[in-house]
Structures are given as structure tokens and as C-alpha cells.
Amino acid sequence: MSTLAPTIPLAHGARMPVLGLGTWPMTGDEAATAVTAAIESGYRSIDTAENYRNEEAVGRGLREASVPRDELFVTTKLNKEWHGVDGARQACEASLERLGLDRLDMLMIHWPNPDQDRYVDAFRGLLQLRTEGLVRAVGTSNFKPAHLRRLLDETGELPEVNQINLNPWATRDTSVAFHREHGVVTEAWSPIKPAAILDEPTIVEIAERHGRSPAQVVLRWVTQQGYVTVPKSASPERQRENLAIFDLELSADELSAISALDRGEEHVTDSDAFGH
């Protein structure tokens, strides 16, 4: 029997699995095969993006799986050239065509790109798409609290999810605190990267104590704190291992010990300076 990840409620009624499949940097047959294998193993959330150049392959993987579309949560993201009300619509329609879908479960602004100063209009476009039913939920990726605050000040709304680079070396406490205060779900990308995180003695010791892999311990550290995550894996065996974490309960001391590995945000890409 397949394990299904628990779901978390989003602010406007959708429910999102707390663990899904990330698809970057997979493309072509690798991406399609990985998506199908993940869904057959119990995954119900799939994360892609225009910039990954794999939406067509992801769509093929979705169609080749035996699970009905209504049971899946599909997220994609738009690039900076589409920042604007009309641009968000064009990006959405193009992604839907590439994926072969008639609606998205979530559309995200991939990076804020504050230098071009159009992310607020892009967010207004997402809100319109949600009102019209083309997307069920709206999200952002790599937004700092200052970016989110501006969205709130200028539109009266916040994204339902903000996807950020979060792992035991970068616990992103300031962002997480803002999210919690305002009802935004935190989503961690690359939670087990760099791979050296998995060699941390604290994580290895906790993994040995529970008879689990270090990757499973980190993913449970993420999800047990109420975050969502989408680790990438092309291996069906690793996919199943990543999903088989919800019968693991880390103690408060273990959660704190992993969080204490935080090194700040020095190795986190600065979204005021980078974006696409």
C-alpha cells in the first residue's frame, strides 16, 4: 500500500500535501518517468516551473500515472518577463498548455526581481486568476519579508505559500516568523542540499537512533515543524524513502538540535540581487 503525505490547509480552501516531488533539474524522459513513478508510489504534489524547461515532460508523467487529476496538486512558477497583470495570465495559459492541464493547483512568482519593480502587478494577476478559477492557490518563491509586506500593503493580500531555500544550515527564522504571523505556509526547497548536511554528526546520530536515513530525518524535521517541502529524486527507491517519514516522530530536543545547526543566510541566494 502506498503512503500518502498528510495535507495542510491553505488560506483560500485548497489543501496541499506537505511533501511532494521537486523536478529540477530533470528534463525529458527522466522527468516524465520520475513523475509517474512518484505518483504511483503515493506522491500527490508535483512541483515544476517555466524556468525548469520540463513542463511538457511533467505533464506527460502526470497523464501516464493511474491517479485521477483531481487527486493531484500541481505547482508551477512564472519568470520575470511575465511580471504584470496581463503577463501573469499569459504565463499561466502557456504553462497550462505545456502541462496539458485546464487549471493549476498553484501558480507562483518564481523570484521577486525587485530591480524591475513589477512583482506587485504580477501578484495582482495571480489574484485575478484565482478568482476566475484558473488557479486554486497563489504563491511566491524566494520572497523576503519586505517583499511580502509590500504585497500586503499594496493589494491587501498575501500568498498562500512562500517557497524559500530552507534546510538545517539555513533555518530562515525571520522569514518563518513572518509567515507564521500572517498565515503564509512555508515551503522548503532543496531541504537536503548541500549534501554535506547529511554528514552532520547531529543528524547522523539522530538517524541511527531511529533506524532511519539522514535524509529522512531532515525531511521529518522540515515537515514536523509545519512546513511543506518538495525534494527532488529521480530514483523510485529514494522517492519511496523520502515519503516514508510520517511514522517518525522527532522529540523537541532533536528538533532543536537540528535547528541549532543554522549558519545564517550567507549561502542563501539573495533575492534582491538574483532572479529570473
Side-chain angles (χ1 to χ4, degrees):
M1 178 181 294
S2 297
T3 299
L4 296 181
T7 60
I8 190 168
L10 304 184
H12 283 263
R15 295 193 69 92
M16 183 180 186
V18 301
L19 190 142
L21 179 73
T23 61
W24 183 84
M26 299 184 290
T27 58
D29 290 344
E30 181 188 32
T33 299
V35 168
T36 300
I39 293 171
E40 298 299 340
S41 294
Y43 284 72
R44 295 296 180 263
S45 176
I46 306 295
D47 180 272
T48 182
E50 172 190 5
N51 208 64
Y52 300 169
R53 304 292 188 263
N54 66 8
E55 287 175 310
E56 294 93 341
V58 168
R60 177 155 50 95
L62 296 171
R63 290 189 296 277
E64 291 175 356
S66 62
V67 174
R69 167 69 182 96
D70 286 348
E71 295 181 18
L72 302 175
F73 193 98
V74 181
T75 298
T76 194
K77 312 175 196 76
L78 58 86
N79 280 346
K80 67 179 182 180
E81 66 188 282
W82 307 110
H83 282 201
V85 175
D86 293 336
R89 179 178 300 279
Q90 293 175 58
C92 179
E93 291 174 348
S95 284
L96 287 171
E97 183 174 355
R98 288 189 292 265
L99 286 161
L101 301 177
D102 58 8
R103 64 171 171 79
L104 294 169
D105 297 287
M106 184 157 59
L107 180 59
M108 290 181 156
I109 304 169
H110 206 152
W111 292 85
N113 297 282
D115 58 313
Q116 69 175 15
D117 196 25
R118 301 209 309 262
Y119 67 84
V120 176
D121 281 340
F123 188 64
R124 289 190 176 102
L126 295 192
L127 295 176
Q128 287 189 9
L129 294 169
R130 187 180 66 193
T131 297
E132 295 172 21
L134 280 175
V135 304
R136 296 175 61 212
V138 300
T140 52
S141 182
N142 304 298
F143 275 49
K144 296 179 179 181
H147 305 138
L148 297 174
R149 171 61 68 184
R150 186 174 173 200
L151 293 182
L152 181 60
D153 289 345
E154 297 192 26
T155 72
E157 297 260 12
L158 281 167
E160 294 164 74
V161 178
N162 187 35
Q163 186 184 86
I164 58 175
N165 186 193
L166 185 154
N167 57 57
W169 283 356
T171 58
R172 310 299 301 275
D173 294 350
T174 300
S175 288
V176 168
F178 184 94
H179 297 168
R180 285 179 170 154
E181 180 182 354
H182 294 90
V184 177
V185 171
T186 298
E187 181 172 10
W189 61 262
S190 293
I192 51 179
K193 298 290 183 180
I197 289 172
L198 302 182
D199 296 326
E200 281 280 2
T202 295
I203 293 172
V204 171
E205 179 185 345
I206 293 171
E208 290 175 349
R209 187 182 307 146
H210 289 278
R212 301 298 183 109
S213 71
Q216 286 178 312
V217 166
V218 173
L219 293 176
R220 192 63 181 122
W221 169 81
V222 171
T223 57
Q224 202 171 315
Q225 294 183 89
Y227 310 153
V228 170
T229 190
V230 283
K232 171 261 175 184
S233 179
S235 161
E237 180 179 358
R238 183 61 57 81
Q239 289 174 359
R240 290 190 293 270
E241 177 184 299
N242 288 349
L243 191 59
I245 61 171
F246 297 105
D247 59 346
L248 168 62
E249 194 73 13
L250 300 176
S251 70
D253 287 346
E254 289 170 333
L255 293 172
S256 296
I258 296 171
S259 296
L261 300 172
D262 181 41
R263 300 182 177 186
E265 301 193 12
E266 289 186 5
H267 75 280
V268 174
T269 302
D270 183 358
S271 58
D272 279 326
F274 175 85
H276 50 64

